[in-house]
Amino acid sequence: MPRGTAPVFRRPASTPLRQALILLVLFSVIEVATLGVAFVKMRADLGREIAVGLEREMAGFDLSATPRAMSAIVAARARASDPARSVIVFLSDDGSQTGNAVAEFDAETLRLVPGDPSRPLSEAGYLRRIERLSGGVLVLGASLEPVRDLRETFFSLVLLSLVPTILLSLAIAGMVARRTARRVDAVERVLSRLSAGDLSARLPDPGPAPDDLGRIAAGVNRMAARQEAATGALRQVTSDIAHDLRTPLQRISVLLQDLGHHLAPGSPEADLADRAQAEAGNAVSVFQAMLAIAQIEGKGRSIAMEPLDLREIGRRVFELYQPAVEDAGDTLDYAEPDAAVTVRGNGDLLSQALANLVENAMRHTPSGSSIRVAVEPGPRLRVTDNGPGIPEAERGKVLERLYRLERSRTTPGHGLGLSLVAAIADLHGARLVLDDAGPGLSVTLHFPGADDGRP
């Protein structure tokens, strides 16, 4: 799934979603605690009400009644009472019982059992009151079914109030978090494009009354605009300087060449003129490389692109440089797959990039080294040598303009070859990767659609 399109509920690190879930949990805990406190109070009040009823009922009996009279009173009440709601039992001292249930004493525990199978007892249990009076023991019991009903009502209330609230809150939180996540993803994508060098990337206009993310978007756009303007001005200055100085330097080189023709061959003056001409030529090549980089960066979107087979570019560069490499005492090998390796790009620029990599390998490896050019599926272009390589800490720096390794300062070159390759790679959306070839250096161009991210 492309970046930025992942569902919000697969993004546990999303700040809006995380905050919404925290608030939802907090609200749920508060609501359950509030209902729990209300339930405890209502249950206590109901228990006291049942106990008070038992006290009143017990107080209504005549303490002076005889056991026979008490049995008759209890029998009359028992016939009119549902044992599932209230129990009344009188146990005479002679062992006889009267009531709507049977009381059994097990040690010091009183157990109530149905006296008539057709009149069951309460499954919720009873709140009991036991008093000795009138030559026996009177047992009164009030069913705890109202307490059970209250508990069931409480759980139903929790389900009916909390569950819909949670579901509705989750739906709203999901929509809000999804919208916020899309805006955050847009900011991340624009920042990634800016980091990759696309200074034209912008976020949508947040409008006249932006929120927090809108103000961030406006700030990113202002930063990008200033950076684009500053970079454009720098590129223009660089291009102008290189363009203005190239012609005078070329004229100086021609004048030095003419001067050399008027000097005696082998004389110190002729040698000095040759050296000056070489330095002037090197300066011209520096400005030409800087102009080439500026043109690629400034006209990137207008450069023609077409489907290309990288094997044709690889063969062309190999055939062009094989004689020069052999003359320098090195060997140049070439490898390609049987099937076409197609990319969309500019053939001249890609050939120039590959040629720069081969020249870089020739320049920085000792005589007798081996250089290999390879076109690989993926698609990739790779140039490998067995020279001294580049330390890992220096690999990022060598892509900067005019940067040279300390050991390379005495060799020909101006530190712009890899910078030009990097500009061409960026134009084609390719990644330029420098890695250790063990020994030597491996430079790889990974084009879009590469089947892996390894060098």
Side-chain angles (χ1 to χ4, degrees):
M1 184 172 291
R3 179 179 177 84
T5 61
V8 68
F9 291 105
R10 295 185 184 179
R11 293 172 57 106
S14 170
T15 298
L17 178 60
R18 187 167 59 245
Q19 291 175 345
L21 292 178
I22 291 174
L23 290 176
L24 179 60
V25 171
L26 182 61
F27 170 78
S28 302
V29 170
I30 292 175
E31 183 171 355
V32 170
T34 302
L35 292 175
V37 171
F39 167 73
V40 171
K41 186 178 184 304
M42 293 176 64
R43 184 179 62 178
D45 292 342
L46 184 57
R48 283 193 296 270
E49 183 178 344
I50 295 174
V52 169
L54 284 176
E55 289 287 346
R56 290 174 180 172
E57 187 176 1
M58 184 65 73
F61 285 93
D62 186 2
L63 299 180
S64 62
T66 64
R68 184 185 297 274
M70 182 62 71
S71 296
I73 294 172
V74 169
R77 291 197 178 187
R79 285 191 296 272
S81 301
D82 182 3
R85 299 183 62 184
S86 62
V87 168
I88 179 171
V89 180
F90 179 69
L91 294 83
S92 299
D93 289 342
D94 61 5
S96 62
Q97 291 191 31
T98 303
N100 58 2
V102 176
E104 297 179 352
F105 283 95
D106 183 9
E108 297 182 356
T109 304
L110 173 66
R111 187 166 65 94
L112 296 174
V113 297
D116 183 354
S118 63
R119 305 181 71 190
L121 301 181
S122 172
E123 296 179 356
Y126 298 89
L127 181 64
R128 302 168 186 173
R129 179 68 189 275
I130 304 174
E131 290 287 346
R132 184 168 184 79
L133 49 80
S134 300
V137 176
L138 179 62
V139 179
L140 298 178
S143 175
L144 294 175
E145 188 170 347
V147 177
R148 185 185 65 179
D149 292 343
L150 178 64
R151 184 170 58 251
E152 292 176 354
T153 301
F154 167 75
F155 286 124
S156 299
L157 181 62
V158 170
L159 291 177
L160 291 176
S161 63
L162 191 60
V163 172
T165 301
I166 290 177
L167 294 178
L168 182 61
S169 300
L170 280 176
I172 295 175
M175 289 188 295
V176 174
R178 186 186 299 274
R179 178 175 177 272
T180 305
R182 284 198 295 265
R183 298 176 66 188
V184 171
D185 285 343
V187 173
E188 290 179 347
R189 289 194 297 271
V190 169
L191 290 176
S192 297
R193 289 173 59 188
L194 291 173
S195 299
D198 182 7
L199 300 182
S200 64
R202 296 291 186 275
L203 287 163
D205 186 0
D211 56 8
D212 292 346
L213 286 177
R215 289 193 292 272
I216 291 175
V220 170
N221 287 343
R222 288 194 299 270
M223 177 196 70
R226 287 195 295 266
Q227 187 174 1
E228 184 178 26
T231 303
L234 180 60
R235 287 175 178 172
Q236 186 62 43
V237 169
T238 302
S239 178
D240 291 344
I241 292 176
H243 185 272
D244 291 343
L245 291 181
R246 181 178 62 175
T247 300
L249 286 172
Q250 288 176 336
R251 290 174 180 171
I252 292 174
S253 180
V254 172
L255 291 174
L256 289 172
Q257 185 176 7
D258 290 342
L259 177 62
H261 292 161
H262 292 82
L263 298 175
S267 66
E269 293 81 2
D271 182 60
L272 185 60
D274 291 339
R275 289 166 55 192
Q277 183 181 358
E279 292 295 334
N282 185 56
V284 171
S285 65
V286 169
F287 286 114
Q288 287 176 336
M290 292 177 65
L291 278 174
I293 295 174
Q295 290 171 352
I296 292 172
E297 293 177 340
K299 301 179 181 179
R301 297 183 182 274
S302 61
I303 293 178
M305 298 285 186
E306 61 182 352
L308 300 171
D309 187 352
L310 290 181
R311 298 181 304 172
E312 296 179 2
I313 295 174
R315 294 171 196 155
R316 185 189 313 157
V317 173
F318 170 72
E319 293 170 358
L320 177 65
Y321 279 90
Q322 187 180 26
V325 172
E326 292 179 351
D327 290 343
D330 300 330
T331 59
L332 181 63
D333 298 321
Y334 175 69
E336 65 176 31
D338 295 332
V341 182
T342 305
V343 299
R344 185 171 182 80
N346 183 281
D348 293 337
L349 291 179
L350 290 179
S351 297
Q352 184 176 1
L354 186 58
N356 278 21
L357 293 178
V358 173
E359 290 179 2
N360 191 71
M362 293 172 57
R363 186 178 299 116
H364 298 291
T365 56
S367 180
S369 297
S370 175
I371 303 171
R372 187 172 188 268
V373 176
V375 177
E376 301 173 354
R380 292 184 293 268
L381 274 177
R382 192 190 305 268
V383 175
T384 308
D385 63 62
N386 60 353
I390 298 176
E392 185 174 357
E394 302 274 359
R395 290 172 192 165
K397 298 178 181 179
V398 296
L399 301 181
E400 299 174 3
R401 301 179 189 182
L402 304 176
Y403 183 86
R404 305 190 70 192
L405 296 176
E406 190 63 32
R407 66 167 181 262
S408 302
R409 296 190 181 277
T410 57
T411 61
H414 39 64
L416 288 171
L418 288 178
S419 299
L420 181 58
V421 174
I424 296 173
D426 185 67
L427 174 66
H428 288 79
R431 290 187 302 112
L432 179 61
V433 179
L434 280 63
D435 198 27
D436 185 10
L441 178 68
S442 174
V443 184
T444 309
L445 281 172
H446 293 263
F447 291 87
D451 53 11
D452 65 15
R454 295 184 298 272

